[in-house]
Amino acid sequence: MKLKNNRATKVLGFLRNWRMQIFSSCIYIVGAAILLVLAKQNLGRSLFIFFILTAWLINVFRSKTLLFANVLLIIAVFPFNITIQLSEYFLGFELANFQVAGVRIDSLIPVISILDLAFGITVTSFFVEHNPIFQLKKLLKSKWLWVGIMTYYIAHNLYFLDWLVFVNSSRMLLVAVLGYLAAVNWEYFRHTFTAKRVGYVRLLIVMNIFVQLLISISQFVYGRSVGLHWLGESSLVKGFYGTSWMTLGGRVYLRAYGSFPHPNVLGGFLSLTLIYALSASWVRLRQRSKRGFIIHLLTSGLLTLNILLTFSRTAISIAAVIWGLFIIGTVFDIRKIIRVYKAKRLEKRVKKRSTKKVSSIFGLSLIFERFKQLLTAEKVSWTDRVKLAKTAMIIILEYPLFGVGTGKFIQYIGKNVAVTSGGHYLFEPVHNIFLLLLAEHGVIFGGMMVLTILGLLVGTLRKTFDLIYEKPVLVFCQICIAIWFLLISNVDHYLLTLPQGIAMLGVFVLFEAAFLRIRPRI
């Protein structure tokens, strides 16, 4: 019986490896052929993507698992704003209208990001690496949820019949499917990611941080883009309209973009990574690993420096709160560790001593002149955000049932377009994802999405009180992510409008859902 089971296991393993090798080879060949055609437009970008694709194929063959290779692929391409714009016409039919009030708006042009392709490969890989029927059964465990989602997705696209709506809604659906598959295959994640592989993931994240820091410093010092357009860097010149810059002390400074489409998006990514880095530092502290604690703390310092270069008020505020919570939490934890350590020594020596511990006072003095001026500068954009919020309310009242369609907020501004104090039109989505959901999806369906997100957030925050003594690091991470989400979601829109933002929103929802499943010890 054991012999038959071993044979069956070997056969299944052979078939699994065969499917993975065929799938990865086909992706590589098709990708290389497409890049060969696109090389005429941008040779550097094509070579970079070809290098990433080759590294992915090598990882698949060496690790014999698509999951590990795909995670590395997503992390590798995440910071780079590499996109392909789609045409507004197909076979003579107009698929989208890119103009508002006679002005061509680039954000209305549907784009496919390299991150979208990485997500698509990862979702498909779940069905290739495992039994497809088994994966479908996992999806059907929540069949009514997916029936509702797919019904709304199809109805939403049929109602608007718009190229932009289709691309943006498909991106959101893709991230939702990926997050669900990751959740139901969590045990396979734990089995696949050994300590060595987790080390590779951390190394790649640190490399991304260094690359973004170097690009950010160069942009800040020189006041322009550094020529890495093949990595997705925007064309930047300080002081020009369309570029984000600050006037501090009578001098003009370019805000750091990195290779992201906007400094705020870079700040959101860095602040989210800072939560992970400081959480890892705290874990190393509890494990009494000085080397690991110092490495993660230095990484956190580099992240904070890069956040400061973005001049993003939201990201800097998040970083200040995270550091404050980290210092308070670790001070109390250190005192607890010291008490436990002393109690063990007393047990060994069998002596009773009365000891007094004078707690260390940690001071954090961040007197940063540029940050002060950010709060008092004349270019504060709160008035613009309020104007956009008023426009959103008008759109919600005009289209309360079905909304205006995913990604089409700007197109429906029309006569209600807001104007800045400098006389420029505000062709931007409302800087609040809750209002944006209501405006683009209607009061019923958009309201359901808003209530789902807020219900998930409230549920996890209530659970933190049950775990605060048992799992302090996890509670710290949860509180920081909640603060991160609440601040960004109420003052910006990229969590719903950009591929990197949608991915970060997916990480937030996945973490919140996983946190809800934790059961405290009784």
Side-chain angles (χ1 to χ4, degrees):
M1 189 68 180
K2 289 183 178 180
L3 184 61
K4 289 182 179 180
N5 290 336
N6 289 336
R7 286 178 179 176
T9 303
K10 288 181 179 179
V11 170
L12 290 174
F14 172 77
L15 292 175
R16 173 173 166 271
N17 291 334
W18 177 77
R19 287 199 308 266
M20 286 194 302
Q21 291 171 3
I22 294 295
F23 171 75
S24 56
S25 299
C26 289
I27 292 293
Y28 184 77
I29 292 171
V30 172
I34 294 173
L35 290 174
L36 191 62
V37 176
L38 297 177
K40 298 178 181 178
Q41 299 178 7
N42 194 320
L43 180 60
R45 180 171 296 183
S46 298
L47 289 175
F48 173 73
I49 298 175
F50 181 73
F51 170 76
I52 293 292
L53 201 59
T54 304
W56 172 77
L57 184 68
I58 293 172
N59 279 330
V60 172
F61 278 83
R62 288 193 62 183
S63 63
K64 296 182 180 179
T65 169
L66 283 166
L67 179 60
F68 174 63
N70 289 336
V71 170
L72 291 183
L73 174 66
I74 292 172
I75 295 173
V77 303
F78 186 89
F80 303 109
N81 186 35
I82 299 175
T83 59
I84 297 175
Q85 290 185 347
L86 303 180
S87 174
E88 57 186 307
Y89 294 100
F90 179 73
L91 298 177
F93 294 97
E94 186 179 13
L95 297 176
N97 182 13
F98 304 154
Q99 293 190 350
V100 178
V103 180
R104 182 181 175 86
I105 308 298
D106 289 340
S107 57
L108 290 177
I109 303 174
V111 296
I112 294 179
S113 168
I114 188 174
L115 193 57
D116 299 332
L117 301 178
F119 287 152
I121 292 172
T122 306
V123 169
T124 310
S125 298
F126 277 105
F127 296 92
V128 173
E129 191 166 3
H130 304 283
N131 188 338
I133 298 176
F134 181 63
Q135 291 297 321
L136 284 174
K137 286 182 178 179
K138 286 185 175 181
L139 282 173
L140 291 176
K141 284 183 179 180
S142 305
K143 61 181 179 181
W144 294 115
L145 170 67
W146 288 107
V147 166
I149 291 175
M150 292 306 300
T151 301
Y152 176 70
Y153 169 75
I154 294 170
H156 188 69
N157 281 281
L158 288 177
Y159 180 78
F160 290 102
L161 288 176
D162 189 273
W163 196 222
L164 181 65
V165 173
F166 172 72
V167 172
N168 289 336
S169 59
S170 298
R171 179 180 295 126
M172 295 177 70
L173 178 65
L174 185 64
V175 173
V177 173
L178 178 57
Y180 185 84
L181 288 173
V184 297
N185 290 281
W186 185 247
E187 288 300 322
Y188 182 66
F189 268 84
R190 295 179 62 182
H191 173 73
T192 302
F193 283 88
T194 60
K196 186 177 181 180
R197 287 177 176 173
V198 171
Y200 286 133
V201 171
R202 288 174 178 166
L203 178 62
L204 187 56
I205 292 174
V206 172
M207 289 173 62
N208 273 342
I209 293 169
F210 270 105
V211 169
Q212 296 305 311
L213 181 60
L214 290 175
I215 297 174
S216 298
I217 292 175
S218 300
Q219 291 171 345
F220 176 76
V221 171
Y222 296 108
R224 54 178 173 79
S225 52
V226 294
L228 298 176
H229 306 300
W230 50 277
L231 286 180
E233 185 193 20
S234 304
S235 298
L236 310 168
V237 179
K238 65 180 181 182
F240 276 67
Y241 180 72
T243 301
S244 189
W245 45 273
M246 294 295 300
T247 304
L248 302 169
R251 297 184 61 183
V252 177
Y253 295 95
L254 179 68
R255 295 175 61 188
Y257 279 67
S259 58
F260 284 80
H262 194 274
N264 291 348
V265 186
L266 173 60
F269 163 72
L270 294 173
S271 55
L272 187 61
T273 311
L274 179 64
I275 296 172
Y276 167 75
L278 287 179
S279 300
S281 300
W282 196 342
V283 171
R284 294 297 179 270
L285 179 65
R286 293 173 67 88
Q287 294 173 349
R288 299 177 189 176
S289 171
K290 293 182 180 179
R291 182 182 176 185
F293 175 73
I294 293 172
I295 289 174
H296 285 93
L297 206 60
L298 288 175
T299 305
S300 302
L302 293 176
L303 284 166
T304 306
L305 173 61
N306 205 345
I307 289 172
L308 292 174
L309 291 176
T310 65
F311 292 98
S312 170
R313 290 183 294 274
T314 308
I316 294 174
S317 301
I318 292 171
V321 172
I322 293 171
W323 273 105
L325 292 174
F326 173 76
I327 291 171
I328 293 171
T330 50
V331 165
F332 280 100
D333 213 24
I334 288 172
R335 296 179 67 183
K336 182 180 177 181
I337 292 171
I338 290 173
R339 284 199 300 268
V340 172
Y341 176 69
K342 286 186 175 181
K344 288 182 178 180
R345 288 186 64 186
L346 286 173
E347 288 177 5
K348 289 181 180 180
R349 296 180 180 181
V350 198
K351 292 181 180 180
K352 294 182 180 181
R353 293 182 180 177
S354 60
T355 60
K356 291 184 179 181
K357 175 63 182 175
V358 180
S359 60
S360 302
I361 300 174
F362 290 85
L364 182 64
S365 175
L366 187 62
I367 305 173
F368 196 60
E369 181 185 353
R370 298 188 185 110
F371 180 52
K372 281 184 179 179
Q373 293 183 10
L374 274 173
L375 296 176
T376 58
E378 294 179 359
K379 279 188 64 180
V380 176
S381 58
W382 292 114
T383 54
D384 295 342
R385 284 176 164 84
V386 172
K387 291 176 182 177
L388 287 170
K390 292 178 180 178
T391 303
M393 294 303 298
I394 294 172
I395 291 176
I396 292 169
L397 293 174
E398 288 183 359
Y399 304 92
L401 193 57
F402 300 108
V404 297
T406 310
K408 292 179 70 67
F409 179 90
I410 300 175
Q411 192 169 335
Y412 280 79
I413 289 177
K415 62 182 180 181
N416 300 313
V417 60
V419 182
T420 66
S421 56
H424 299 289
Y425 288 117
L426 276 173
F427 290 120
E428 297 180 21
V430 59
H431 287 55
N432 183 297
I433 70 166
F434 305 113
L435 290 177
L436 190 59
L437 283 172
L438 294 173
E440 292 187 344
H441 297 273
V443 175
I444 298 174
F445 299 105
M448 290 172 63
M449 296 178 192
V450 171
L451 290 176
T452 300
I453 294 173
L454 293 179
L456 193 64
L457 185 63
V458 171
T460 52
L461 288 176
R462 289 178 62 183
K463 197 164 189 177
T464 55
F465 295 102
D466 299 330
L467 298 170
I468 193 167
Y469 295 108
E470 184 182 335
K471 299 180 182 293
V473 180
L474 191 61
V475 168
F476 162 77
C477 193
Q478 158 59 25
I479 294 173
C480 290
I481 286 182
I483 293 170
W484 174 88
F485 172 75
L486 287 172
L487 284 176
I488 291 177
S489 62
N490 282 286
V491 299
D492 223 317
H493 59 79
Y494 62 82
L495 293 180
L496 290 178
T497 55
L498 295 177
Q500 291 97 335
I502 294 174
M504 286 188 274
L505 179 61
V507 170
F508 163 76
V509 173
L510 186 61
F511 179 84
E512 297 295 286
F515 189 84
L516 274 178
R517 299 189 61 175
I518 299 173
R519 295 288 180 265
R521 296 176 185 174
I522 300 176

